[in-house]
Amino acid sequence: MHKKVIHTHDAPAAIGPYSQAIAAHNLLFISGQLPVDPGTGEVVAGGAKEQALQSLANLLAILKASGTDVHAVVKTTVFLKDLADFQIVNEVYAGVFTKDYPARACVQVAKLPKDVLVEVEAIAILEN
């Protein structure tokens, strides 16, 4: 099996024993992206909107590092600390994914790393 680790300094480094993303065959598996500013290593200030923007910016940076873009994403999972933020996060999400939306799951979880409000992971198709 052929797999390649994807890493970019334009997204936060992993905070555990995992990779930012793995390319395997023609698929890209992007680990959950926290709303951490890659320059400072700190969680961005603000609420769910600001955190969703940063999580998605980190995801986009990883897509770019792998040689693709948002249009290649086929599945996302959005983890929210509170589903009351669903509409706010949806508005941010719709600004990134503008057509041919990927399949998605959105779930409320008890707690996320660094006590953030939002985390987003994705699967994308890579060109051969």
Side-chain angles (χ1 to χ4, degrees), residues 3 6 12 15 20 32 71 76 82 93-94 107 114 121 128:
K3 77 176 187 178
I6 305 295
I15 59 173
Q20 288 175 329
H71 303 292
T76 64
D82 187 346
Y93 187 94
V107 295
K114 297 187 177 263
E121 68 177 18
N128 290 327

Side-chain angles (χ1 to χ4, degrees), residues 36-101:
V36 172
D37 180 315
T40 66
E42 299 295 323
V43 174
V44 295
K49 178 179 181 178
E50 293 78 12
Q51 290 197 9
L53 284 166
Q54 185 65 56
S55 291
L56 289 166
N58 295 339
L59 190 135
L60 292 173
I62 294 168
L63 286 165
K64 182 178 179 183
S66 72
T68 193
D69 62 26
V70 69
H71 303 292
V73 176
V74 295
K75 171 75 168 76
T76 64
T77 304
V78 177
F79 303 95
L80 298 177
K81 184 174 180 181
D82 187 346
L83 272 177
D85 292 329
F86 182 80
Q87 188 57 41
I88 292 167
V89 173
N90 252 358
E91 290 171 10
V92 172
Y93 187 94
V96 173
F97 298 100
T98 57
K99 65 176 189 167
D100 298 330
Y101 302 113

